[in-house]
Amino acid sequence: MSITAREKPWALIMAAGHGSRMAAALGGVRKQMLCWRERPLYWHSALAMSRSACVGGLVFVFPEDCLRQEEERLRQSRKTGDFGLPWLVTAGGSRRQDSVRRGLAALPPHTRKVLVHDAARPFVSAGLIRRVCEALEQTMAVIPAVPVTDTIKTAAGGMVRATLVRENLLAAQTPQGFETGLLSQAHIYAQEHDITVTDDAALMEEMGHDVHVITGEHENVKITHLRDLALLAAGQSSRPCVGMGQDVHRYGPGRPMVLGGVRISDGPQVVAHSDGDVLLHALMDALLGCAGLGDIGQHFPDNNARFENISSSVLLSEVLDMTRRAGIHPTHADLTIVAQTPRIGPRREEIRNNIARLLNLPALCVNLKAGTEEGLGFIGRNEGIKAYAAVTALAEARTMDESFYF
Ligand code: MG
């Protein structure tokens, strides 16, 4: 049986929690305001509601002190991607149930059914929302839940008092669906009788109403502890990035020529503090560029004795350690040497293979080009050599860096 738009349930997106322990650890950012895939967590739940095609509208319940700010953010988000649903905002209260009560009061009149969803469950699927809505067509109250896998015990004073029968235990999730009138009555009753609960279904139970259960989804976890943020990171797709680098070395009495870690015994000598490997220097700058880590001059200054005549292959391994720590995984390097002499062609494959080895990439992911400058400039006068590098990499989405926050 299909439901018309007018009869579709509205959803309360509960984003009014203070989450003080986690907010303290996140520099004051409330978890529901955390940014995941460039949107606040609560936005993802709202989008899932929209995709389910069975929700009629949304009420966002925010903390009073950031209500206008979040309303403005939602308004701005319409420019880049709308929910395609009517929505409004309202201020929550001190306890979760106070916030739900206020959310219910903000619903348009004659909203017969309502879903209540925790904004800290951003992985809820449109399919689960749809199944809750379908079950709600036949019932007054329905919740999704998943079987408990741990053995649950009650304890007091450091002693186990009982072991609960696991087969009877379920972990309740949201969205929970209700007849709006019944849920509103239950919340008013709880307020009058000073009853505190952790979910809305418990209030319905308190009132003696049947609460139906449908199968929830294990992915529909609630972001509660700091460690749960790793789940968000795992859900983030990595982002491609490109770094470019270039370097020049003068010819003259100095170091025997090394290009890409390969000794070029018939090449001119180069003036350098390190081994003067112009190609690896350009490559390192490109890698640092992917990671936003500046350039090799900052990390390996040429007035530091440690780097005198040091093999650039060693420096490259240090750069790769830095970029790996920054979550950068190189996937491709395109390199160009510009020099009048020596001729690169005969050594091209050897240099390419060596760089592939140093980067731990297949040789087909490294390209080496060579050119002259038609006799022009310092290259044409055979006074030096230059190199360019472009590195393509995948950057892991990070959990705890500032880009994670709004
Ligand atoms: Mg250099």
Side-chain angles (χ1 to χ4, degrees), residues 4-286:
T4 68
R6 191 174 163 74
E7 290 169 326
K8 284 179 178 176
W10 274 51
L12 307 186
I13 306 293
M14 304 309 302
H18 296 285
S20 37
R21 262 177 314 166
M22 202 143 106
L26 295 173
V29 180
R30 292 172 171 128
K31 64 185 174 187
Q32 65 272 33
M33 311 305 173
L34 280 175
C35 188
W36 179 52
R37 294 184 172 165
E38 295 165 11
R39 300 288 191 181
L41 279 198
Y42 64 76
W43 196 93
H44 295 278
S45 303
L47 196 62
M49 295 290 171
S50 165
R51 284 200 313 268
S52 75
C54 60
V55 171
L58 304 169
V59 176
F60 293 93
V61 188
F62 290 125
E64 189 139 29
D65 61 1
C66 59
L67 179 67
R68 294 300 155 218
Q69 177 192 328
E70 298 306 324
E71 184 179 21
E72 182 55 28
R73 185 178 289 173
L74 282 166
R75 204 166 274 139
Q76 291 295 325
S77 77
R78 299 179 79 164
K79 294 175 189 162
T80 48
D82 202 354
F83 308 124
L85 290 176
W87 58 268
L88 45 91
V89 301
T90 194
S94 53
R95 296 171 304 173
R96 183 183 183 280
Q97 67 196 76
D98 300 322
S99 299
V100 174
R101 200 175 61 248
R102 293 188 182 188
L104 290 168
L107 284 170
H110 317 302
T111 307
R112 285 180 43 246
K113 307 267 177 136
V114 64
L115 306 183
V116 183
H117 183 65
D118 293 324
R121 292 185 188 269
F123 307 119
V124 64
S125 73
L128 178 60
I129 295 165
R130 198 159 47 244
R131 286 190 288 113
V132 171
C133 288
E134 284 165 2
L136 193 54
E137 288 175 38
Q138 315 296 331
T139 61
M140 305 287 196
V142 59
I143 65 168
V146 289
V148 171
T149 50
D150 290 329
T151 297
I152 308 290
K153 297 179 187 292
T154 58
M159 298 292 289
V160 170
R161 299 296 167 186
T163 299
L164 303 182
V165 180
R166 194 169 62 182
E167 285 65 34
N168 295 340
L169 295 174
L170 293 172
Q173 300 185 334
T174 69
Q176 301 187 347
F178 305 97
E179 279 272 352
T180 310
L182 277 189
L183 185 62
S184 298
Q185 281 170 22
H187 274 280
I188 291 163
Y189 180 86
Q191 189 181 18
E192 287 170 353
H193 294 81
D194 202 20
I195 298 167
T196 299
V197 290
T198 52
D199 77 350
D200 297 277
L203 277 183
M204 300 298 276
E205 297 155 39
E206 188 77 30
M207 300 284 288
H209 298 299
D210 287 343
V211 176
H212 292 255
V213 182
I214 64 164
T215 305
E217 292 176 345
H218 286 286
E219 298 78 13
N220 183 24
V221 293
K222 187 174 181 180
I223 305 294
T224 308
H225 302 286
L226 210 50
R227 62 178 178 273
D228 298 331
L229 295 178
L231 296 168
L232 294 176
Q236 299 255 36
S237 51
S238 54
R239 140 185 87 76
C241 57
V242 173
M244 76 87 65
Q246 71 98 40
D247 194 33
V248 170
H249 278 265
R250 183 191 295 276
Y251 289 158
R255 313 287 188 208
M257 179 176 273
V258 181
L259 289 174
V262 174
R263 180 79 172 266
I264 311 292
S265 49
D266 57 344
Q269 291 197 347
V270 297
V271 179
H273 182 67
S274 67
D275 67 353
D277 189 330
V278 69
L279 189 57
L280 290 193
H281 293 183
L283 176 62
M284 284 187 267
D285 267 355

Side-chain angles (χ1 to χ4, degrees), residues 318-380:
E318 291 188 20
V319 165
L320 287 169
D321 281 344
M322 284 181 225
T323 54
R324 191 179 307 116
R325 282 197 297 273
I328 299 295
H329 302 278
T331 56
H332 190 91
D334 187 22
L335 310 164
T336 303
I337 296 171
V338 186
Q340 209 66 33
T341 61
R343 288 187 59 232
I344 303 301
R347 317 300 295 274
R348 185 197 301 260
E349 286 309 303
E350 188 182 353
I351 295 169
R352 178 193 190 190
N353 287 329
N354 194 52
I355 289 177
R357 179 182 65 80
L358 294 171
L359 292 175
N360 194 22
L361 286 176
L364 60 83
C365 297
V366 174
N367 186 50
L368 178 61
K369 307 190 290 295
T372 67
E373 289 198 337
E374 301 288 340
L376 299 170
F378 75 90
I379 295 288

